[in-house]
Amino acid sequence: MEKLGGEPLIDMRMKFVFLAGVLACGASLQGATSYILDFNTQSNSPGLVYDGSYAISPYSGTVNGTSVSLYCDDFNDTVNFGQQNISVYSTGLNQTGAPITNDTRYGVHNASTTYSSTAGTTLYEEMAWLATQMQHTTGTTAQSNDIAIQEAIWTLTDTAGGTTAPHNSSGNNGSAASGLGGTAQSYLTWIADAQAAVTQFNGGANWSYYNNYSALVTSNWYIITAVTSAGCTAGSETNGCSGTGGTGAGTAGTGSVTQEFLAYAPGGLSVSTGNTAPAVPEPASFALIGSGLLAGALFARRRKA
């Protein structure tokens, strides 16, 4: 039997194959691709509306250089005006499975104690439907409706069951038929509207006012989540996230408390594919090395034969 560096050639080949398999496996368990979010809204940006001391959506930003309108779906966390280079996952609202489950805050659990039974795609569809209505409010009550809609979105994921989110619009009452017609609705009425609209959207019971509102187009919406916050519903009100990502556990700990956003991007965005395990450092390098070693082992085997 031939020798290579004092070891039998067949043994060396086995080591090559084993190491290649390990590296290839490591690459396959990599985390989802992350992207860069630049939050461009400033405290004095033109047209910015405030609900008390809180600036409401929409905000402006870019995801990997693509301009998007951002809608905050996460009252419990924060972002700084003009904050740049935030590492995020980008999940399409029409994606299913691992991306929704592992790469978002509310893919498994809803932080709200009041709306805890709703999570995942349905919750995000309700919030995106509300944001869609915010885009189409008109008339003298447009700003009042926008504030109420933002409060509805915040309430759906508020860790304190909606008691800490601002409710300055709670005195604005109106029927489900009149929201876009002029009469300002309360945030609770907007939540009820969203629940009814998404139920019909998904093939459930018809809602008599469904056609009074702008239709939800899921392909236009993306969930933008800080990488270290993925799978965690615990926000700054409960000391942040564990920072592990991808677990769906909703545990408190230390880590990112960057707000999650819904991004409106009708031109499309690149999306993450879904975590299968905590990220492996330099996964592309592992894949390349693993492929090279595997090819080398096969070549050595053919040469010996």
Side-chain angles (χ1 to χ4, degrees):
M1 183 178 294
E2 295 181 11
K3 298 275 188 175
L4 180 63
E7 291 189 60
L9 181 58
I10 188 169
D11 290 346
M12 182 61 72
R13 287 203 305 270
M14 290 174 67
K15 289 181 180 181
F16 269 114
V17 172
F18 175 75
L19 180 58
V22 169
L23 291 172
C25 180
S28 70
L29 294 177
Q30 64 182 321
T33 303
S34 62
Y35 301 96
I36 296 298
L37 167 66
D38 292 332
F39 184 82
N40 297 329
T41 294
Q42 303 291 340
S43 59
N44 60 348
S45 292
L48 188 63
V49 174
Y50 279 83
D51 182 5
S53 61
Y54 299 99
I56 71 167
S57 308
Y59 319 109
S60 63
T62 61
V63 177
N64 267 23
T66 299
S67 295
V68 295
S69 295
L70 297 168
Y71 294 79
C72 177
D73 67 17
D74 176 14
F75 178 75
N76 302 294
D77 299 300
T78 60
V79 68
N80 296 323
F81 284 114
Q83 187 172 341
Q84 304 287 289
N85 298 315
I86 307 169
S87 182
V88 296
Y89 293 136
S90 171
T91 306
L93 190 59
N94 55 2
Q95 288 178 270
T96 58
I100 291 287
T101 301
N102 296 334
D103 294 346
T104 68
R105 276 196 186 277
Y106 308 116
V108 176
H109 298 284
N110 186 352
S112 170
T113 56
T114 301
Y115 300 99
S116 58
S117 61
T118 304
T121 303
T122 298
L123 175 63
Y124 284 110
E125 286 174 344
E126 289 176 359
M127 294 189 290
W129 183 89
L130 286 164
T132 299
Q133 310 321 308
M134 189 182 290
Q135 295 174 337
H136 294 91
T137 53
T138 58
T140 57
T141 60
Q143 182 169 310
S144 182
N145 263 320
D146 286 348
I147 289 173
I149 293 170
Q150 179 67 84
E151 291 178 0
I153 294 172
W154 281 338
T155 300
L156 283 171
T157 60
D158 185 1
T159 57
T163 60
T164 57
H167 296 145
N168 294 341
S169 64
S170 59
N172 295 330
N173 298 310
S175 69
S178 60
L180 299 184
T183 303
Q185 297 182 173
S186 71
Y187 72 99
L188 290 174
T189 303
W190 279 111
I191 290 175
D193 289 354
Q195 292 170 332
V198 169
T199 295
Q200 180 170 339
F201 180 81
N202 289 320
N206 288 340
W207 180 43
S208 58
Y209 301 118
Y210 187 83
N211 293 325
N212 291 34
Y213 293 86
S214 299
L216 171 64
V217 181
T218 56
S219 60
N220 290 341
W221 291 96
Y222 299 80
I223 306 162
I224 306 300
T225 311
V227 166
T228 52
S229 300
C232 179
T233 62
S236 57
E237 304 256 337
T238 49
N239 302 318
C241 294
S242 63
T244 56
T247 63
T251 55
T254 59
S256 172
V257 291
T258 302
Q259 282 179 356
E260 182 179 79
F261 299 96
L262 289 170
Y264 180 72
L269 284 178
S270 297
V271 296
S272 309
T273 55
N275 279 306
T276 54
V280 177
E282 299 295 334
S285 298
F286 276 152
L288 182 61
I289 294 171
S291 299
L293 289 174
L294 185 58
L298 293 173
F299 175 80
R301 182 176 180 181
R302 292 184 62 185
R303 181 176 180 184
K304 176 64 178 177

